[in-house]
Amino acid sequence: MELDQKTTKLFHTITFGCQMNLNDSERLAGQLRTIGYEATDDIEQANLILINTCCVRESAEKKIYGKIGELKRLKLVNPNLIIGVVGCMAQKDKDKILKKYPHVNLVMGTHNTHQLVELINKVEQSREPVLAVWDQAKRLAPDVPTVRKGQISAWVPIMYGCNNFCTYCIVPYVRGRERSRSLDSILTEMRQLGSEGFKEVTLLGQNVNSYGKDSEESIDFADLLHAADQVESIARIRYMTSHPRDMNDKVIDTIRKSKKICEHFHLPIQAGSDTILERMNRGYTTSYYRELITKIRRDFPNASVTTDLIVGFPGETEEQFLETLQFLKDIRYDAAYTFLYSQRSGTPAAKYPDQIPLPTKKARLQQLMAVQNEISLEINKQLEGSVVEVLVEGPSKNDETKFMGRTRTNKIVLWQKTGQEQAGDLVNIQIDTAQTWVLKGQLI
Ligand code: SAH
Ligand code: SF4
Ligand code: F3S
């Protein structure tokens, strides 16, 4: 479609937070395209700026508020500029944002994402700040058009919301209760992606193992995985995040019998102390989790296992922290994403006594990261000399002479461009040098 230069409107999105949010931004872009907006990387040129926000930790919020503040400058230069704050933090702080930042035109919550077109029209006409934040989802939001950032790997949401209420976590409050998409709409989206040339799909949900529990269809996550594995045009399937409590034998068997589901298990443990796990309301013990990992490693000897960890949960003693450190050494994760506990008002843990002082939290995080980095490096070093199958994603962002892709186990691989590889190919790379976060090698 030819767009008239003069009437083309430009939008710029800034996205914080998880994969779910990145995918939401693609769905915002898809909706904006239907009313003549094109994306621009240059924020100064934009007629519309959307900040898609996260509030999982205070550090994210601080950054976002800083960003919203900065945009005032652009608004002064161009009073017609539309600024929208959307997503999780908008859901939580709607009143504060409107009150403190009068240059914001639109505040849109997580349950209103599909209404973007209607809301932008309203802003364009009224020029009054528009607030659209439903307290809860009315029903499963309709699918909307999507403009994706990548061309090889795509996200496909399978469910929205979370029912787990881990005591530290704000997500259930800002994303609402679990709502599963229908099997049919998920498979249709996957087939469509395949026909557009995408090779890899990551099925997204806060707790993918709960898929289907709220559906009228009698279906669970294993059934969905089995059906997804049959989509011919797609070469690899990933999923995130799975809750260790709900990772059952049926899912593990389905993955083992599948062709395309990757042997990467991201199973957030959060803490290595049973007392802390109970106070986090995680619903499993360390011994249950150890057994789960043993089973996975027995069934998938080459599997990679990764995790999330929180240090400085209220009341965490030095002994309990040392249990977590020992747990890391015992499990030997390929990688761990480690976070300082952040007090989220409205969550039970925010009111727990014995909040841990920041310097203690920081010191524990440093210790944890040092131990984990060493383990990650040792595990990756074992791959030196071996040949791994890599899905080519494209040229490396930092070095144009190199190409980048991932192994089935989700490790990043870089190699010297040969001219024979193309984005979307499955190629074999011989690994020469392993580092903590990347493997380097040569195409063979
Ligand atoms: N639904 C996913 C991910 C949720 S958010 C899951 O349950 O695994 C991603 C990670 O952020 C969590 O795994 C947890 O480690 C971390 N996180 C959540 N709330 C936090 C908080 N209040 N402070 C610090 N880290 C937190
Ligand atoms: Fe948060 Fe727990 Fe739900 Fe994950 S499972 S989103 S950590 S409440
Ligand atoms: Fe953040 Fe919302 Fe994701 S709070 S982690 S963007 S679900």
Side-chain angles (χ1 to χ4, degrees), residues 35 62 65 74 99 134-135 181 204 213 226 231 236 245 248 267 281 297 314 330 354 387 403 414 430 437:
I35 48 170
K62 276 198 178 141
Y65 276 118
L74 292 175
K99 218 167 114 203
W134 289 342
D135 284 343
R181 283 178 77 192
L204 289 183
K213 283 186 187 161
H226 178 73
V231 177
R236 281 181 177 183
R245 182 195 60 212
N248 57 34
L267 291 163
N281 190 31
R297 288 191 167 143
D330 293 346
D354 308 323
V387 174
F403 256 68
L414 292 174
Q430 172 142 24
W437 294 101

Side-chain angles (χ1 to χ4, degrees), residues 96-130:
K96 175 175 167 188
I97 297 166
L98 280 185
K99 218 167 114 203
K100 275 187 72 180
Y101 301 91
H103 60 287
V104 169
N105 303 85
L106 169 68
V107 176
M108 181 177 82
T110 57
H111 305 308
N112 304 74
T113 305
H114 62 284
Q115 297 180 306
L116 185 65
V117 165
E118 163 190 340
L119 295 171
I120 293 293
N121 283 334
K122 214 163 148 185
V123 173
E124 285 178 341
Q125 279 153 27
S126 79
R127 288 280 152 193
E128 285 290 308
V130 171

Side-chain angles (χ1 to χ4, degrees), residues 16-18 21 53-56 88 171 174-175 206:
F16 295 86
C18 60
N21 249 25
T53 61
C54 172
C55 57
V56 77
C88 294
V171 171
V174 293
R175 288 275 178 173
Q206 291 303 339

Side-chain angles (χ1 to χ4, degrees), residues 319-337:
E319 290 71 45
Q320 286 163 343
F321 169 67
L322 292 175
E323 281 181 71
T324 298
L325 214 54
Q326 187 57 45
F327 194 83
L328 272 193
K329 292 178 186 167
D330 293 346
I331 299 283
R332 293 184 63 80
Y333 289 106
D334 290 75
Y337 304 89

